[in-house]
Amino acid sequence: MPELPEVETLRRELERALVGRVIKSVKIFWSKTVQPFTPTIFAKQLKNVRVTSIERTAKILFLNLSNGKTLAIHLKMTGQLVFQSQGSTLGDFKVEPLIAGGHPEDPKKYTRAVFEFNGRAKLYFNDLRKFGWLRLVSAKDKQIMTEKYGLEPLSPEFTLANFTRALTRYPNRKLKLTLLDQTLIAGLGNIYADESCFAAGLRPRRRVKTLTDKEIKKLHRAIKQILKLALAKGGTSSRNYVRSDGSPGDFFSYLKAYGRSGQPCRRCLTPIAKIKLAGRGAHFCKNCQR
DNA sequence: GTGTTTGTTATCAA
DNA sequence: CTTGATAACAAACA
């Protein structure tokens, strides 16, 4: 799933690829993907507009535009942003959906929108499950969208003191649910919440009020370390996520808990357990995590 | 046909 | 206000 490291990887790649380019046309193949306008109006509003900068808050990308508006993008669970510069041919990647093929002009099965830029460069928005969205917003809308989010784990504001305050704000919550609460800490999803718990040696069901100062400190370090490494590896391609050139992120082989139920713990060889927490899978080692 | 996968929001319940 | 559960969105896969 695209979480902080995946979305930040795309932000960096698209910053290089798109900033300074002008949108020449937008084609939309699934109308509910674009908001809040009809596809026709949406496309019209973006025609001949330049991308001036790209930002990220939590799991949302913001493409700031020369008309004063911003294109906000959320990939939700299966969204992809694939960039094709003029004349480039995309490789044959295992992760579907693919843009490559003999007819790059034609949208693939899961392509919901295509942006064409000057120089014939193209940005494909693919989304198997249609949860993702492209939202054209004003500066004010953008502010309203971003202000509800909590601490950015890779920012200077992510101090131990601030983290402790956010983490313990709802003392009776289970640890993993707190880590997933975007209004407290922004950008963690199921993969990195599980990995953070593993690295800190903490069970996902622990109530936050039972955590010692020492454990909170370890968790704080764990979150920073894991997100930093995952970002350096270009994110985790466990299902649909791909980088902007269509290639997979390399963090998958570093996972120690997520998706490893039944497999031996990399630290103590105890089979990784899987439980249901708030309707999602939670993976952990009964021996290494307390 | 059933259960599982998950980001986010809405809604209901205690 | 806190917390927890469930459904909704949607489609693939085992």
Side-chain angles (χ1 to χ4, degrees):
Chain A
M1 317 312 125
E3 304 176 26
L4 190 153
E6 291 75 29
V7 180
E8 179 62 20
T9 295
L10 290 172
R11 192 200 66 77
R12 292 178 180 184
E13 293 177 351
L14 294 179
E15 183 171 61
R16 292 194 57 156
L18 299 182
V19 169
R21 286 196 194 263
V22 176
I23 298 169
K24 301 313 290 183
S25 74
V26 187
K27 289 191 173 70
I28 294 138
F29 305 99
W30 183 256
S31 62
K32 285 162 82 176
T33 291
V34 300
Q35 301 166 7
F37 308 111
T38 64
T40 310
I41 298 171
F42 183 89
K44 206 170 180 176
Q45 296 238 357
L46 287 170
K47 195 176 164 72
N48 294 323
V49 165
R50 186 182 302 267
V51 179
T52 57
S53 61
I54 305 184
E55 300 171 304
R56 177 193 59 78
T57 295
K59 302 167 190 171
I60 302 177
L61 278 179
F62 292 103
L63 275 59
N64 297 316
L65 307 169
S66 57
N67 64 359
K69 293 204 163 197
T70 295
L71 180 62
I73 303 175
H74 202 306
L75 302 173
K76 289 292 181 90
M77 286 178 289
T78 59
Q80 301 179 328
L81 288 169
V82 179
F83 180 74
Q84 188 181 38
S85 60
Q86 185 191 12
S88 75
T89 51
L90 295 169
D92 189 18
F93 302 111
K94 283 186 177 167
V95 184
E96 285 286 343
L98 302 175
I99 298 304
H103 303 282
E105 302 302 317
D106 299 330
K108 292 295 175 183
K109 189 173 172 189
Y110 305 119
T111 299
R112 310 302 176 192
V114 181
F115 294 77
E116 188 172 0
F117 293 86
N118 59 310
R120 306 188 79 163
K122 286 177 180 173
L123 181 70
Y124 293 81
F125 177 75
N126 308 322
D127 186 21
L128 184 152
R129 288 174 65 181
K130 301 175 179 171
F131 285 179
W133 43 252
L134 310 171
R135 197 174 288 173
L136 197 51
V137 300
S138 66
K140 181 69 185 166
D141 293 336
K142 179 181 154 194
Q143 190 207 326
I144 291 166
M145 285 172 80
T146 54
E147 64 192 10
K148 65 181 178 185
Y149 288 102
L151 283 174
E152 280 288 337
L154 295 183
S155 76
E157 284 71 43
F158 194 65
T159 60
L160 180 59
N162 285 340
F163 174 64
T164 305
R165 201 171 311 132
L167 189 71
T168 57
R169 184 163 151 198
Y170 303 107
N172 277 323
R173 278 200 197 167
K174 288 167 185 155
L175 173 58
K176 184 174 173 183
L177 300 190
T178 296
L179 294 178
L180 288 172
D181 186 337
Q182 304 296 301
T183 68
L184 297 175
I185 301 142
L188 295 184
N190 220 26
I191 297 174
Y192 298 108
D194 278 355
E195 294 303 306
S196 299
C197 287
F198 181 93
L202 300 171
R203 295 196 182 186
R205 275 184 295 205
R206 274 284 290 276
R207 300 278 169 177
V208 293
K209 68 178 173 193
T210 71
L211 297 174
T212 64
D213 289 351
K214 201 177 159 189
E215 287 173 328
I216 293 175
K217 201 168 176 175
K218 197 169 178 188
L219 180 59
H220 178 244
R221 292 178 71 95
I223 292 170
K224 285 197 291 186
Q225 251 171 27
I226 284 167
L227 293 181
K228 224 169 154 178
L229 182 60
L231 179 56
K233 298 295 173 188
T236 303
S237 291
S238 73
R239 290 183 85 80
N240 295 87
Y241 166 75
V242 289
R243 303 174 67 144
S244 65
D245 65 352
S247 68
D250 292 329
F251 196 70
F252 184 82
S253 57
Y254 292 80
L255 296 179
K256 293 179 176 163
Y258 181 82
R260 299 195 70 252
S261 57
Q263 295 176 58
C265 170
R266 297 198 196 278
R267 191 172 155 269
C268 76
L269 303 182
T270 301
I272 295 293
K274 182 175 181 183
I275 58 169
K276 206 99 177 169
L277 213 51
R280 332 164 132 85
H283 316 72
F284 67 101
C285 174
K286 286 179 174 169
N287 181 44
C288 297
Q289 293 171 257
R290 303 288 157 156

